Amino acid sequence: MQSRNFLSALVLLSLAILFPPCFAYPTSLSNTRARNFENQLPLPVHVIHEFPLDTWLENLAVRENGQILVTLLTTPQIYQVDPFEIQAPILVHTFPNATSLLGIVETYPDIFYVVVGNWSTVKLSSTPGSYSVWKIEMSCFLLDQGYVPAVVTKVADLPDAMFLNGMTVLDKESGLLLIADSEAGVVWRLNVYTKEVTQIIDDPLMKATSVPSLGINGVKVRSGYLYFTNSNQALLARVPINTDGTAASEASVVTANAMADDFQFDARGDVFIAQNPVNELAFVEAEGGPETVLVGDPDSLILAGPTAVQFGRTALDFESLYITSTGGLAAYISRNFTVGGRVSRVDVGIEGFWI
């Protein structure tokens, strides 16, 4: 499959940035595309931007105007990266009294929440009790009349959390977020309006089983289920949940032998998984079953430590996945870095899923 000609679309992109409603993501999505990638593998990877060596990109969110927000694990910073490579990356904010940023979600247009805490990429370990959730308001960021900073405020501390990681929206109207605790192997619920924090799910499939403690990792809510990856147990699983986020029954495995970090759904419910330890992007059908590796392998640095994936949101890239990466997990163990953390694009020809 040929990549789109992005150079020819620069004029359209400029209009999209100035007038984002003109290029809102599609409201009617086709479910008729072939799901068989075999004749196209491996899919091409285009590097949007490479950060300096020893820069671990942990997660990302795509703004309604198409710009990508990227969280860093190696420094407590969030950047905006232009997927069309017109602007250089822009530092949005540096958070105080922390070393790392992790999961990020959007509730309403340009209203984001991010996990902030201390996780050492040298020791590959967490500092329990160091975690909090902050709100980032991006609606006035970089308007035409000049630079306007994002509005950043702390929402709540979570002193009982051991290692907060992935985060997802349960109910935006009620302000409810679900947050994975990778070390404790549980899920926390945060009400961003009342600041109430509750541990609500504790399941064996969420537990860490080795060191470093990376149990439940990425989390997403879809169709009455909380889907989650477990990095130590190498699986993608799901648990049925009630409207308040509590578990309706026990969790079950969707696919095993998945060296999974974070993941994202497409419009049909199929899953794209960032397989950090083995440098791969994988695909699993909605019904479960074995995964298909779309690009990458343990001996390649084309996707060196992919951590998270998100679909584009403009008319130019809604069938493309953006992927954050670390530079390779092996590099953080050996401290011998050859590539930096990257934001990359893979054109998958399938429409994304947006809540």
Side-chain angles (χ1 to χ4, degrees):
M1 178 178 59
Q2 294 182 346
S3 298
R4 297 177 180 80
N5 187 341
F6 283 94
L7 293 177
S8 66
L10 294 184
V11 174
L12 291 176
L13 174 65
S14 299
L15 292 174
I17 293 173
L18 292 174
F19 309 105
C22 297
F23 289 94
Y25 52 88
T27 56
S28 177
L29 299 177
S30 169
N31 291 324
T32 61
R33 289 189 178 273
R35 320 306 288 187
N36 189 344
F37 293 99
E38 289 184 2
N39 295 329
Q40 307 172 49
L41 300 182
L43 297 181
V45 176
H46 175 74
V47 177
I48 303 296
H49 181 77
E50 181 172 329
F51 284 76
L53 298 179
D54 194 10
T55 304
W56 180 309
L57 307 188
E58 173 62 15
N59 215 308
L60 75 163
V62 181
R63 297 179 63 193
E64 194 172 32
N65 67 2
Q67 298 295 298
I68 303 170
L69 297 180
V70 177
T71 66
L72 273 61
L73 195 68
T74 36
T75 56
Q77 295 177 320
I78 184 168
Y79 280 83
Q80 178 171 281
V81 175
D82 182 359
F84 303 101
E85 304 171 76
I86 298 173
Q87 288 184 319
I90 302 167
L91 176 63
V92 174
H93 192 74
T94 300
F95 290 79
N97 305 314
T99 63
S100 309
L101 301 189
L102 294 106
I104 181 171
V105 295
E106 183 182 32
T107 53
Y108 290 96
D110 272 341
I111 302 297
F112 296 89
Y113 293 88
V114 64
V115 172
V116 179
N118 296 341
W119 201 87
S120 171
T121 57
V122 176
K123 298 179 179 180
L124 299 180
S125 64
S126 172
T127 301
S130 66
Y131 292 89
S132 57
V133 172
W134 293 62
K135 179 182 180 181
I136 306 174
E137 300 179 58
M138 294 289 297
S139 57
C140 294
F141 185 72
L142 286 179
L143 294 180
D144 291 339
Q145 58 264 37
Y147 177 79
V148 179
V151 179
V152 180
T153 53
K154 181 187 278 191
V155 176
D157 291 311
L158 286 83
D160 295 325
M162 299 182 70
F163 172 19
L164 295 186
N165 199 336
M167 181 164 57
T168 189
V169 179
L170 174 64
D171 184 339
K172 67 179 182 180
E173 292 184 359
S174 300
L176 298 179
L177 307 180
L178 300 182
I179 313 171
D181 190 327
S182 294
E183 189 162 331
V186 300
V187 175
W188 299 88
R189 184 184 65 204
L190 168 65
N191 187 315
V192 299
Y193 301 136
T194 68
K195 324 301 183 189
E196 180 184 12
V197 177
T198 309
Q199 181 183 308
I200 61 166
I201 306 179
D202 187 340
D203 189 277
L205 291 182
M206 297 179 175
K207 297 304 179 183
T209 56
S210 61
V211 177
S213 298
L214 282 167
I216 182 173
N217 193 331
V219 286
K220 300 286 186 293
V221 172
R222 183 180 171 95
S223 302
Y225 289 87
L226 176 68
Y227 287 78
F228 61 92
T229 55
N230 185 316
S231 298
N232 282 167
Q233 296 190 40
L235 55 81
L236 171 70
R238 69 178 189 175
V239 57
I241 56 174
N242 301 307
T243 56
D244 64 355
T246 55
S249 64
E250 294 181 350
S252 59
V253 175
V254 176
T255 188
N257 301 314
M259 305 299 290
D261 196 325
D262 210 341
F263 64 100
Q264 188 53 273
F265 294 101
D266 66 17
R268 202 187 79 164
D270 296 334
V271 185
F272 293 85
I273 304 174
Q275 302 211 121
N276 184 348
V278 290
N279 303 338
E280 295 172 348
L281 173 67
F283 172 85
V284 176
E285 292 193 352
E287 297 79 11
E291 64 181 25
T292 299
V293 175
L294 303 182
V295 62
D297 66 67
D299 296 323
S300 170
L301 295 180
I302 192 168
L303 283 179
T307 52
V309 295
Q310 289 286 354
F311 279 92
R313 293 181 67 175
T314 76
L316 302 177
D317 62 356
F318 67 89
E319 293 183 343
S320 298
L321 277 175
Y322 293 103
I323 306 165
T324 47
S325 60
T326 68
L329 183 60
Y332 286 89
I333 296 172
S334 68
R335 309 305 298 173
N336 180 24
F337 298 95
T338 56
V339 298
R342 293 170 172 169
V343 178
S344 302
R345 188 189 78 245
V346 175
D347 300 326
V348 293
I350 297 171
E351 298 92 341
F353 169 72
W354 292 100
I355 299 174

